[in-house]
Amino acid sequence: MSVRRLSPNQPDSFAFTPEQEALAQWWIAKFPAGRQQSAVLPLLWLVQKQQGWVSEPALRVVAEKLGMPVIRVYEVATFYTMFMLEPVGSKALVQVCGTTPCMLRGAGDLISVCQRKFGNRDHLSADGQFYWQEVECLGACSNAPMAAINDYYYEDLTAESFEAILDDFAAGKSPAPGSAIKRQGAAPEGGPLVLTDPKLYDGSAAKPIKSLPNAPPKGKAAKEPAA
Amino acid sequence: MPKAKVNGVEVEFEPGMTVLQVAELAGEEIPRFCYHERLSIAGNCRMCLVEVKPGPPKPQASCALPAADNQEIFTNTPMVKKAREGVMEFLLINHPLDCPICDQGGECDLQDQAMGYGRDDSRYADNKRAVEEKSMGPLIKTVMTRCIQCTRCVRFITEVAGVPDIGLISRGEDVEITTYLGKAVASELSANVIDLCPVGALTSKPYAFNARPWELKKTESVDVMDALGSAIRVDSRGPAVLRVLPRLNEEINEEWISDKTRYAVDGLSRQRLDRPYVRENGKLRPATWAEALSLVADKLKAAPADRIGVIAGDQQDVESMKAAKDLFGSLGVTNLDCRQDGMALGAGPRESWLFNSTIAGIENADVILLVGTNPRLEAPVLNARLRKRWMAGALKVGVIGEQPDLTYGYEYLGAGPASLTGLSKSKGDFLKALKDAKAPAIILGSGALARADGAAVAKAAAAVAKTYKMTWNVLHSAAARVGGLDLGFIPGEGGKTAAEMVKPGALDVLFLLGADEIGLTGSDAFTVYLGTHGDAGAHRADVILPGAAYTEKDGLYVNTEGRVQLGQRAVFPKGEGREDWSILRALSDKLGKTLPYDTLAQLRAKLFADHPTFGQIDYVAGPVDFDLSAVGGEGAVSDQAFESPIKAFHLTNPIARASVTMAECAAQASGAAKIAAE
């Protein structure tokens, strides 16, 4: 991690689109009166959804909307590394997992691909289309190595399949997310190895249950005590 | 009361106290950086580790651990010492070893505690973290590499000052204290974070590299920048006052002072009147004392008593006003006034011009009505007290006058006197709260009283106070005002008020006792200015008698509560300047009306004999019942809105106006105001 700073290049202003504004109000309404600032994280996330990153004018807009000091919003935005504080690529934000399981399964190769194609990490690529960074564990260890590109996970990557996916993004396509080797979920490669007996799934093993363990005694069913 | 054992010694404590507080009760000193008794508990420095039984077998942060009955607390076991040494070692990983060039050196908590818990060398060979400097305005210098992230500054500015401008950004090893994109801290109390900073990360910009604490002579004195009389310590070296720091006084300022109190002192060495001057052919020329005093005496002898007037300034000590009153009284002069702003108080009971709730006592109020005052500018430390009370909850504040950001919520009731007289018919929560209040208080500022209909406004306010049984409080903005009023430094029978004295043709001789806040353009009298700075009064003066500023004389000051306090001399007056009372004593000799005292002690003895209230140093009566119907005078109230007299907080007196630091702050503040208005 490095010191997180606001980008030197900032737009002049920020305003939520009507759809995002409606979502923002929906979030704000979730919190009791006087606690609106609890919505700071969702609102910053909406900003990031709309802009691709969180700009300085947006911090002020969020602060004003929630009636909180802008320094508090600034603190939150710089604390959470998921908030991008500078513009990201117009085509994709590539987040390669570099934590141990991915590293052991070849995250280094993916990182070299990014390095070769886009230049240094945490910077916009020369054409402004891509921005890549190495991130900590994204929780898809069984399908390592993996990368999160924009909103989706791309798993079981190799240098070749990763590069192909990136090329698709560069060409303006949206490659299908998930396992690059068509693995089912997080199941073992080549399909499940256990619990394969079809009887498990046709209901034949099930027995009727007389009463649920915690069911209330019959007769006095589910009558809430008067509040 | 619950009991606990601290290192085997049993102590009783109030329920709710923390382990740290209990250990302090037992006389054990607990090292700490982030904990401060006036701020919320952060518990992030970990220096206050202790061992408690029963409890987990590991050190506990005592500042954040509530003490329990029958707890055993150990503060000096090997485990505690080792734990604290570990914390200290971590703190020093990234703290630079630049004490020799650090302004905090000699008064640094980290330095002191490293003596107790530090290792002789570091086990860390890696580079230290470096952090960029931050801009926090003209008062606070930052060396952020030294920061240990205790967040005291963040908590102070958010909780006490109520101006959340400082924050802790980023996370982990990279956290940094900063303002929002280098904005200046917009609080009148901002420089208190310098005192709070336990290391040299936030230091005083104007005082940077000026002196080491052990070189300074420390004089305990009283502040005169506002009417609170905050307890200060004046640090001086040789003839120069280098800085002012707050002293602890729970009754007044707790341990805070305003930026003006702290930083106007560089004005004490600028624009000073260091020798007598006499105007000749329209120009002031240096003169000797004998020459200047003889000239004044001649003019005074030549003028009839009703053509002589004396106006006392806002920072005068009581002794000089007493000497002036005695001297001019002996000449038969009744044109005396200490109210340059024309405040309509002074007759009637003493309580009518005091802050009767007392500053500490205002915390007991549950409903407060502010009339024609902006305490944030007129008395920032009192405003912090009001905010503290508001933060504690169940306080309703109503405001009649301007609508400033007071750092706490209030109900706006109106702009002018009509809202005051019509309060009983107003609609809103405030009136309801006022009717149910147990300890309501009214605070009147000079914005309400220093106007043509001031007496009528005072009467209307007194009627409101009487109706709702509110404690009567007047918040003055001049340090000398209550002293002057207690002394009766007001027009005698047939005497002219300050405003009448400066009218064309009103007087032959006008004697200004440090009075700079009154417009003199209309006055055509022969003007004598006794004061310290080349300010408004001196520019108009025909004779200048150089006096002593508040750090240069022993003097009594009465604060807005009516508390008499002793200011002490830290340095000598500049050049040929003399203490004000002794100049008046010398003048009395020339006039053949020698004042009956040769020393300050004799003067004080006479003062105490004539006005016993001054004899009770540091005493305040507190709320007493008095006849509110005697307050104020007849007349109609106008519908002109109340305006706070303070437009530029940093430039309210001659010392502050001579100060470069205050000028920078004022420019910053007005610039910020302009940006905010856009």
mmCIF file of all heavy atoms in Angstrom, chain A residues 1-6 56-57 59-60 69-72 74-76 78-81, chain B residues 131-132 134 154 158 164-174 176 178-181:
data_model
loop_
_atom_site.group_PDB
_atom_site.id
_atom_site.type_symbol
_atom_site.label_atom_id
_atom_site.label_comp_id
_atom_site.label_asym_id
_atom_site.label_seq_id
_atom_site.Cartn_x
_atom_site.Cartn_y
_atom_site.Cartn_z
ATOM 1 N N MET A 1 0.829 -1.203 0.000
ATOM 2 C CA MET A 1 0.000 0.000 0.000
ATOM 3 C C MET A 1 0.857 1.243 0.000
ATOM 4 O O MET A 1 1.953 1.258 0.508
ATOM 5 C CB MET A 1 -0.871 0.015 1.260
ATOM 6 C CG MET A 1 -2.327 -0.235 0.950
ATOM 7 S SD MET A 1 -3.282 -0.135 2.449
ATOM 8 C CE MET A 1 -3.131 1.588 2.825
ATOM 9 N N SER A 2 0.335 2.259 -0.584
ATOM 10 C CA SER A 2 1.071 3.517 -0.566
ATOM 11 C C SER A 2 0.135 4.615 -0.075
ATOM 12 O O SER A 2 -1.049 4.386 0.108
ATOM 13 C CB SER A 2 1.576 3.840 -1.971
ATOM 14 O OG SER A 2 0.491 3.871 -2.858
ATOM 15 N N VAL A 3 0.698 5.770 0.129
ATOM 16 C CA VAL A 3 -0.111 6.884 0.606
ATOM 17 C C VAL A 3 -1.172 7.205 -0.436
ATOM 18 O O VAL A 3 -0.868 7.309 -1.626
ATOM 19 C CB VAL A 3 0.786 8.111 0.857
ATOM 20 C CG1 VAL A 3 -0.059 9.272 1.332
ATOM 21 C CG2 VAL A 3 1.851 7.769 1.862
ATOM 22 N N ARG A 4 -2.393 7.302 0.011
ATOM 23 C CA ARG A 4 -3.472 7.558 -0.931
ATOM 24 C C ARG A 4 -3.767 9.048 -0.988
ATOM 25 O O ARG A 4 -4.049 9.685 0.005
ATOM 26 C CB ARG A 4 -4.714 6.784 -0.518
ATOM 27 C CG ARG A 4 -4.557 5.301 -0.773
ATOM 28 C CD ARG A 4 -5.569 4.487 -0.027
ATOM 29 N NE ARG A 4 -6.941 4.879 -0.340
ATOM 30 C CZ ARG A 4 -7.586 4.537 -1.464
ATOM 31 N NH1 ARG A 4 -6.972 3.815 -2.361
ATOM 32 N NH2 ARG A 4 -8.823 4.912 -1.671
ATOM 33 N N ARG A 5 -3.665 9.587 -2.175
ATOM 34 C CA ARG A 5 -3.884 11.025 -2.350
ATOM 35 C C ARG A 5 -4.950 11.233 -3.407
ATOM 36 O O ARG A 5 -5.155 10.387 -4.275
ATOM 37 C CB ARG A 5 -2.604 11.678 -2.854
ATOM 38 C CG ARG A 5 -1.491 11.646 -1.872
ATOM 39 C CD ARG A 5 -1.229 13.054 -1.379
ATOM 40 N NE ARG A 5 -0.027 13.047 -0.575
ATOM 41 C CZ ARG A 5 -0.038 12.856 0.736
ATOM 42 N NH1 ARG A 5 -1.163 12.681 1.363
ATOM 43 N NH2 ARG A 5 1.086 12.855 1.406
ATOM 44 N N LEU A 6 -5.576 12.376 -3.354
ATOM 45 C CA LEU A 6 -6.505 12.725 -4.421
ATOM 46 C C LEU A 6 -5.706 13.014 -5.675
ATOM 47 O O LEU A 6 -4.574 13.484 -5.623
ATOM 48 C CB LEU A 6 -7.325 13.950 -4.033
ATOM 49 C CG LEU A 6 -8.221 13.790 -2.809
ATOM 50 C CD1 LEU A 6 -9.088 15.028 -2.635
ATOM 51 C CD2 LEU A 6 -9.098 12.564 -2.913
ATOM 52 N N GLU A 56 -12.723 14.788 -6.312
ATOM 53 C CA GLU A 56 -12.788 15.720 -5.175
ATOM 54 C C GLU A 56 -14.120 16.450 -5.121
ATOM 55 O O GLU A 56 -14.733 16.543 -4.038
ATOM 56 C CB GLU A 56 -11.595 16.690 -5.262
ATOM 57 C CG GLU A 56 -11.390 17.574 -4.053
ATOM 58 C CD GLU A 56 -12.214 18.839 -4.111
ATOM 59 O OE1 GLU A 56 -12.438 19.365 -5.218
ATOM 60 O OE2 GLU A 56 -12.658 19.288 -3.055
ATOM 61 N N PRO A 57 -14.650 16.970 -6.239
ATOM 62 C CA PRO A 57 -15.968 17.609 -6.152
ATOM 63 C C PRO A 57 -17.033 16.648 -5.625
ATOM 64 O O PRO A 57 -17.943 17.068 -4.920
ATOM 65 C CB PRO A 57 -16.269 18.008 -7.606
ATOM 66 C CG PRO A 57 -14.964 18.067 -8.271
ATOM 67 C CD PRO A 57 -14.095 17.059 -7.602
ATOM 68 N N LEU A 59 -16.613 14.384 -3.349
ATOM 69 C CA LEU A 59 -16.517 14.340 -1.886
ATOM 70 C C LEU A 59 -17.350 15.452 -1.282
ATOM 71 O O LEU A 59 -18.071 15.265 -0.302
ATOM 72 C CB LEU A 59 -15.057 14.499 -1.438
ATOM 73 C CG LEU A 59 -14.056 13.433 -1.852
ATOM 74 C CD1 LEU A 59 -12.703 13.726 -1.220
ATOM 75 C CD2 LEU A 59 -14.530 12.065 -1.425
ATOM 76 N N ARG A 60 -17.253 16.638 -1.911
ATOM 77 C CA ARG A 60 -18.002 17.776 -1.378
ATOM 78 C C ARG A 60 -19.502 17.576 -1.556
ATOM 79 O O ARG A 60 -20.287 17.921 -0.678
ATOM 80 C CB ARG A 60 -17.530 19.072 -2.040
ATOM 81 C CG ARG A 60 -16.181 19.532 -1.490
ATOM 82 C CD ARG A 60 -15.761 20.856 -2.061
ATOM 83 N NE ARG A 60 -15.050 20.700 -3.336
ATOM 84 C CZ ARG A 60 -15.342 21.382 -4.428
ATOM 85 N NH1 ARG A 60 -16.320 22.249 -4.417
ATOM 86 N NH2 ARG A 60 -14.637 21.197 -5.528
ATOM 87 N N PRO A 69 -19.022 17.137 7.799
ATOM 88 C CA PRO A 69 -17.852 17.890 7.355
ATOM 89 C C PRO A 69 -17.133 17.142 6.234
ATOM 90 O O PRO A 69 -17.010 15.916 6.283
ATOM 91 C CB PRO A 69 -16.965 17.975 8.591
ATOM 92 C CG PRO A 69 -17.824 17.597 9.732
ATOM 93 C CD PRO A 69 -18.907 16.735 9.201
ATOM 94 N N VAL A 70 -16.647 17.874 5.260
ATOM 95 C CA VAL A 70 -16.038 17.239 4.104
ATOM 96 C C VAL A 70 -14.775 16.480 4.495
ATOM 97 O O VAL A 70 -14.430 15.466 3.888
ATOM 98 C CB VAL A 70 -15.790 18.282 2.999
ATOM 99 C CG1 VAL A 70 -14.751 19.285 3.406
ATOM 100 C CG2 VAL A 70 -15.409 17.610 1.700
ATOM 101 N N ILE A 71 -14.133 16.916 5.590
ATOM 102 C CA ILE A 71 -12.918 16.199 6.009
ATOM 103 C C ILE A 71 -13.257 14.769 6.429
ATOM 104 O O ILE A 71 -12.476 13.841 6.237
ATOM 105 C CB ILE A 71 -12.202 16.968 7.153
ATOM 106 C CG1 ILE A 71 -10.890 16.294 7.566
ATOM 107 C CG2 ILE A 71 -13.064 17.087 8.394
ATOM 108 C CD1 ILE A 71 -9.721 16.748 6.790
ATOM 109 N N ARG A 72 -14.473 14.571 6.981
ATOM 110 C CA ARG A 72 -14.875 13.222 7.392
ATOM 111 C C ARG A 72 -15.059 12.319 6.162
ATOM 112 O O ARG A 72 -14.698 11.147 6.172
ATOM 113 C CB ARG A 72 -16.176 13.266 8.194
ATOM 114 C CG ARG A 72 -16.087 14.000 9.512
ATOM 115 C CD ARG A 72 -15.433 13.148 10.589
ATOM 116 N NE ARG A 72 -14.052 13.529 10.814
ATOM 117 C CZ ARG A 72 -13.661 14.527 11.579
ATOM 118 N NH1 ARG A 72 -14.537 15.228 12.249
ATOM 119 N NH2 ARG A 72 -12.380 14.822 11.713
ATOM 120 N N TYR A 74 -13.558 12.782 3.343
ATOM 121 C CA TYR A 74 -12.192 12.611 2.845
ATOM 122 C C TYR A 74 -11.501 11.468 3.585
ATOM 123 O O TYR A 74 -10.831 10.619 2.990
ATOM 124 C CB TYR A 74 -11.473 13.940 3.061
ATOM 125 C CG TYR A 74 -10.068 14.061 2.525
ATOM 126 C CD1 TYR A 74 -9.684 13.463 1.329
ATOM 127 C CD2 TYR A 74 -9.129 14.830 3.210
ATOM 128 C CE1 TYR A 74 -8.395 13.617 0.855
ATOM 129 C CE2 TYR A 74 -7.851 14.996 2.735
ATOM 130 C CZ TYR A 74 -7.490 14.378 1.565
ATOM 131 O OH TYR A 74 -6.219 14.536 1.093
ATOM 132 N N GLU A 75 -11.691 11.437 4.911
ATOM 133 C CA GLU A 75 -11.104 10.356 5.713
ATOM 134 C C GLU A 75 -11.596 9.001 5.234
ATOM 135 O O GLU A 75 -10.814 8.068 5.050
ATOM 136 C CB GLU A 75 -11.483 10.536 7.195
ATOM 137 C CG GLU A 75 -10.754 11.660 7.895
ATOM 138 C CD GLU A 75 -11.247 11.855 9.323
ATOM 139 O OE1 GLU A 75 -12.389 11.478 9.647
ATOM 140 O OE2 GLU A 75 -10.497 12.398 10.129
ATOM 141 N N VAL A 76 -12.911 8.897 5.024
ATOM 142 C CA VAL A 76 -13.486 7.611 4.618
ATOM 143 C C VAL A 76 -12.967 7.212 3.238
ATOM 144 O O VAL A 76 -12.557 6.075 3.018
ATOM 145 C CB VAL A 76 -15.032 7.708 4.616
ATOM 146 C CG1 VAL A 76 -15.636 6.469 3.987
ATOM 147 C CG2 VAL A 76 -15.543 7.877 6.032
ATOM 148 N N THR A 78 -10.259 8.010 1.743
ATOM 149 C CA THR A 78 -8.847 7.620 1.698
ATOM 150 C C THR A 78 -8.588 6.354 2.490
ATOM 151 O O THR A 78 -7.578 5.690 2.292
ATOM 152 C CB THR A 78 -7.935 8.740 2.249
ATOM 153 O OG1 THR A 78 -8.402 9.107 3.539
ATOM 154 C CG2 THR A 78 -7.934 9.943 1.337
ATOM 155 N N PHE A 79 -9.506 6.009 3.399
ATOM 156 C CA PHE A 79 -9.298 4.819 4.219
ATOM 157 C C PHE A 79 -9.535 3.554 3.405
ATOM 158 O O PHE A 79 -8.762 2.604 3.464
ATOM 159 C CB PHE A 79 -10.238 4.859 5.421
ATOM 160 C CG PHE A 79 -10.045 3.717 6.382
ATOM 161 C CD1 PHE A 79 -9.161 3.838 7.437
ATOM 162 C CD2 PHE A 79 -10.729 2.523 6.229
ATOM 163 C CE1 PHE A 79 -8.964 2.807 8.317
ATOM 164 C CE2 PHE A 79 -10.542 1.468 7.108
ATOM 165 C CZ PHE A 79 -9.653 1.614 8.166
ATOM 166 N N TYR A 80 -10.625 3.525 2.645
ATOM 167 C CA TYR A 80 -11.017 2.308 1.941
ATOM 168 C C TYR A 80 -10.344 2.238 0.577
ATOM 169 O O TYR A 80 -10.570 3.085 -0.273
ATOM 170 C CB TYR A 80 -12.538 2.246 1.810
ATOM 171 C CG TYR A 80 -13.199 2.021 3.148
ATOM 172 C CD1 TYR A 80 -13.762 3.072 3.855
ATOM 173 C CD2 TYR A 80 -13.211 0.757 3.708
ATOM 174 C CE1 TYR A 80 -14.342 2.857 5.086
ATOM 175 C CE2 TYR A 80 -13.788 0.541 4.947
ATOM 176 C CZ TYR A 80 -14.352 1.589 5.630
ATOM 177 O OH TYR A 80 -14.913 1.379 6.846
ATOM 178 N N THR A 81 -9.557 1.192 0.380
ATOM 179 C CA THR A 81 -8.787 1.116 -0.854
ATOM 180 C C THR A 81 -9.661 0.770 -2.052
ATOM 181 O O THR A 81 -9.214 0.843 -3.185
ATOM 182 C CB THR A 81 -7.680 0.057 -0.730
ATOM 183 O OG1 THR A 81 -8.274 -1.160 -0.262
ATOM 184 C CG2 THR A 81 -6.629 0.503 0.244
ATOM 185 N N VAL B 131 6.657 12.049 5.952
ATOM 186 C CA VAL B 131 5.312 12.534 5.639
ATOM 187 C C VAL B 131 5.402 13.986 5.194
ATOM 188 O O VAL B 131 6.146 14.770 5.781
ATOM 189 C CB VAL B 131 4.386 12.419 6.873
ATOM 190 C CG1 VAL B 131 2.979 12.852 6.524
ATOM 191 C CG2 VAL B 131 4.385 11.009 7.403
ATOM 192 N N GLU B 132 4.652 14.292 4.169
ATOM 193 C CA GLU B 132 4.672 15.670 3.659
ATOM 194 C C GLU B 132 4.135 16.652 4.698
ATOM 195 O O GLU B 132 3.240 16.313 5.461
ATOM 196 C CB GLU B 132 3.771 15.764 2.421
ATOM 197 C CG GLU B 132 4.365 15.127 1.207
ATOM 198 C CD GLU B 132 3.315 14.945 0.115
ATOM 199 O OE1 GLU B 132 2.366 15.747 0.063
ATOM 200 O OE2 GLU B 132 3.447 13.996 -0.664
ATOM 201 N N LYS B 134 1.956 19.748 6.037
ATOM 202 C CA LYS B 134 0.593 20.157 5.706
ATOM 203 C C LYS B 134 0.441 21.651 5.984
ATOM 204 O O LYS B 134 1.111 22.194 6.851
ATOM 205 C CB LYS B 134 -0.409 19.385 6.575
ATOM 206 C CG LYS B 134 -0.278 17.880 6.453
ATOM 207 C CD LYS B 134 -0.769 17.407 5.100
ATOM 208 C CE LYS B 134 -0.800 15.904 5.013
ATOM 209 N NZ LYS B 134 0.505 15.275 5.016
ATOM 210 N N VAL B 154 -7.360 16.257 16.239
ATOM 211 C CA VAL B 154 -8.626 15.988 15.553
ATOM 212 C C VAL B 154 -9.769 16.062 16.551
ATOM 213 O O VAL B 154 -10.809 16.674 16.314
ATOM 214 C CB VAL B 154 -8.598 14.604 14.880
ATOM 215 C CG1 VAL B 154 -9.906 14.334 14.179
ATOM 216 C CG2 VAL B 154 -7.441 14.501 13.913
ATOM 217 N N THR B 158 -12.711 18.973 16.658
ATOM 218 C CA THR B 158 -14.072 18.487 16.407
ATOM 219 C C THR B 158 -14.961 18.655 17.626
ATOM 220 O O THR B 158 -16.096 19.099 17.519
ATOM 221 C CB THR B 158 -14.021 16.997 16.011
ATOM 222 O OG1 THR B 158 -13.060 16.840 14.980
ATOM 223 C CG2 THR B 158 -15.369 16.521 15.519
ATOM 224 N N PRO B 164 -14.899 21.179 12.632
ATOM 225 C CA PRO B 164 -14.192 19.966 12.210
ATOM 226 C C PRO B 164 -13.380 20.178 10.944
ATOM 227 O O PRO B 164 -13.828 19.883 9.853
ATOM 228 C CB PRO B 164 -15.316 18.947 12.000
ATOM 229 C CG PRO B 164 -16.538 19.745 11.819
ATOM 230 C CD PRO B 164 -16.352 21.072 12.442
ATOM 231 N N ASP B 165 -12.202 20.701 11.102
ATOM 232 C CA ASP B 165 -11.346 21.003 9.957
ATOM 233 C C ASP B 165 -10.150 20.075 9.859
ATOM 234 O O ASP B 165 -9.471 20.058 8.851
ATOM 235 C CB ASP B 165 -10.838 22.454 10.051
ATOM 236 C CG ASP B 165 -11.803 23.428 9.403
ATOM 237 O OD1 ASP B 165 -12.775 22.952 8.796
ATOM 238 O OD2 ASP B 165 -11.582 24.634 9.498
ATOM 239 N N ILE B 166 -9.826 19.359 10.934
ATOM 240 C CA ILE B 166 -8.647 18.493 10.914
ATOM 241 C C ILE B 166 -9.121 17.046 10.915
ATOM 242 O O ILE B 166 -10.084 16.707 11.606
ATOM 243 C CB ILE B 166 -7.741 18.764 12.128
ATOM 244 C CG1 ILE B 166 -7.345 20.244 12.180
ATOM 245 C CG2 ILE B 166 -6.485 17.912 12.072
ATOM 246 C CD1 ILE B 166 -6.431 20.600 13.318
ATOM 247 N N GLY B 167 -8.449 16.222 10.155
ATOM 248 C CA GLY B 167 -8.843 14.822 10.105
ATOM 249 C C GLY B 167 -7.636 13.921 9.953
ATOM 250 O O GLY B 167 -6.513 14.378 9.738
ATOM 251 N N LEU B 168 -7.899 12.628 10.094
ATOM 252 C CA LEU B 168 -6.857 11.620 9.949
ATOM 253 C C LEU B 168 -7.182 10.830 8.691
ATOM 254 O O LEU B 168 -8.168 10.108 8.656
ATOM 255 C CB LEU B 168 -6.862 10.702 11.168
ATOM 256 C CG LEU B 168 -5.795 9.616 11.220
ATOM 257 C CD1 LEU B 168 -4.471 10.217 11.629
ATOM 258 C CD2 LEU B 168 -6.189 8.540 12.204
ATOM 259 N N ILE B 169 -6.377 10.998 7.653
ATOM 260 C CA ILE B 169 -6.717 10.343 6.393
ATOM 261 C C ILE B 169 -5.860 9.110 6.174
ATOM 262 O O ILE B 169 -4.840 8.922 6.835
ATOM 263 C CB ILE B 169 -6.564 11.307 5.190
ATOM 264 C CG1 ILE B 169 -5.122 11.771 5.052
ATOM 265 C CG2 ILE B 169 -7.498 12.478 5.322
ATOM 266 C CD1 ILE B 169 -4.795 12.217 3.643
ATOM 267 N N SER B 170 -6.281 8.309 5.223
ATOM 268 C CA SER B 170 -5.595 7.090 4.843
ATOM 269 C C SER B 170 -5.618 6.084 5.993
ATOM 270 O O SER B 170 -6.376 6.255 6.938
ATOM 271 C CB SER B 170 -4.174 7.401 4.380
ATOM 272 O OG SER B 170 -3.775 6.465 3.426
ATOM 273 N N ARG B 171 -4.790 5.071 5.938
ATOM 274 C CA ARG B 171 -4.900 4.023 6.941
ATOM 275 C C ARG B 171 -3.552 3.380 7.198
ATOM 276 O O ARG B 171 -2.601 3.529 6.441
ATOM 277 C CB ARG B 171 -5.888 2.964 6.458
ATOM 278 C CG ARG B 171 -5.381 2.207 5.258
ATOM 279 C CD ARG B 171 -6.476 1.449 4.591
ATOM 280 N NE ARG B 171 -6.913 0.336 5.415
ATOM 281 C CZ ARG B 171 -7.833 -0.553 5.027
ATOM 282 N NH1 ARG B 171 -8.394 -0.453 3.858
ATOM 283 N NH2 ARG B 171 -8.169 -1.547 5.805
ATOM 284 N N GLY B 172 -3.521 2.658 8.323
ATOM 285 C CA GLY B 172 -2.338 1.878 8.643
ATOM 286 C C GLY B 172 -1.101 2.745 8.794
ATOM 287 O O GLY B 172 -1.133 3.810 9.396
ATOM 288 N N GLU B 173 -0.050 2.294 8.206
ATOM 289 C CA GLU B 173 1.220 3.001 8.319
ATOM 290 C C GLU B 173 1.161 4.368 7.642
ATOM 291 O O GLU B 173 1.958 5.248 7.927
ATOM 292 C CB GLU B 173 2.317 2.156 7.666
ATOM 293 C CG GLU B 173 3.706 2.696 7.893
ATOM 294 C CD GLU B 173 4.703 2.101 6.921
ATOM 295 O OE1 GLU B 173 4.309 1.683 5.824
ATOM 296 O OE2 GLU B 173 5.880 2.074 7.265
ATOM 297 N N ASP B 174 0.214 4.536 6.730
ATOM 298 C CA ASP B 174 0.192 5.746 5.910
ATOM 299 C C ASP B 174 -0.678 6.852 6.472
ATOM 300 O O ASP B 174 -0.865 7.868 5.810
ATOM 301 C CB ASP B 174 -0.315 5.394 4.506
ATOM 302 C CG ASP B 174 0.565 4.356 3.855
ATOM 303 O OD1 ASP B 174 1.794 4.547 3.887
ATOM 304 O OD2 ASP B 174 0.044 3.351 3.351
ATOM 305 N N GLU B 176 -2.236 10.051 8.010
ATOM 306 C CA GLU B 176 -1.703 11.407 8.091
ATOM 307 C C GLU B 176 -2.758 12.315 8.683
ATOM 308 O O GLU B 176 -3.937 12.198 8.362
ATOM 309 C CB GLU B 176 -1.370 11.921 6.683
ATOM 310 C CG GLU B 176 -0.256 11.151 6.023
ATOM 311 C CD GLU B 176 0.052 11.692 4.640
ATOM 312 O OE1 GLU B 176 -0.700 12.550 4.155
ATOM 313 O OE2 GLU B 176 1.038 11.245 4.068
ATOM 314 N N THR B 178 -4.331 15.875 8.635
ATOM 315 C CA THR B 178 -4.350 16.952 7.656
ATOM 316 C C THR B 178 -5.633 17.750 7.764
ATOM 317 O O THR B 178 -6.602 17.312 8.390
ATOM 318 C CB THR B 178 -4.212 16.389 6.227
ATOM 319 O OG1 THR B 178 -4.139 17.462 5.302
ATOM 320 C CG2 THR B 178 -5.400 15.520 5.864
ATOM 321 N N THR B 179 -5.623 18.915 7.166
ATOM 322 C CA THR B 179 -6.873 19.626 6.941
ATOM 323 C C THR B 179 -7.328 19.271 5.540
ATOM 324 O O THR B 179 -6.587 18.643 4.787
ATOM 325 C CB THR B 179 -6.677 21.141 7.043
ATOM 326 O OG1 THR B 179 -5.672 21.524 6.117
ATOM 327 C CG2 THR B 179 -6.255 21.548 8.431
ATOM 328 N N TYR B 180 -8.538 19.671 5.172
ATOM 329 C CA TYR B 180 -9.037 19.305 3.856
ATOM 330 C C TYR B 180 -8.283 20.083 2.792
ATOM 331 O O TYR B 180 -8.460 21.295 2.648
ATOM 332 C CB TYR B 180 -10.538 19.572 3.758
ATOM 333 C CG TYR B 180 -11.137 19.034 2.469
ATOM 334 C CD1 TYR B 180 -11.178 17.674 2.229
ATOM 335 C CD2 TYR B 180 -11.627 19.890 1.498
ATOM 336 C CE1 TYR B 180 -11.705 17.167 1.057
ATOM 337 C CE2 TYR B 180 -12.158 19.402 0.323
ATOM 338 C CZ TYR B 180 -12.191 18.032 0.107
ATOM 339 O OH TYR B 180 -12.708 17.533 -1.049
ATOM 340 N N LEU B 181 -7.402 19.424 2.089
ATOM 341 C CA LEU B 181 -6.640 20.010 0.989
ATOM 342 C C LEU B 181 -5.926 21.292 1.388
ATOM 343 O O LEU B 181 -5.936 22.292 0.669
ATOM 344 C CB LEU B 181 -7.572 20.280 -0.203
ATOM 345 C CG LEU B 181 -8.418 19.082 -0.651
ATOM 346 C CD1 LEU B 181 -9.307 19.488 -1.800
ATOM 347 C CD2 LEU B 181 -7.543 17.918 -1.059
#
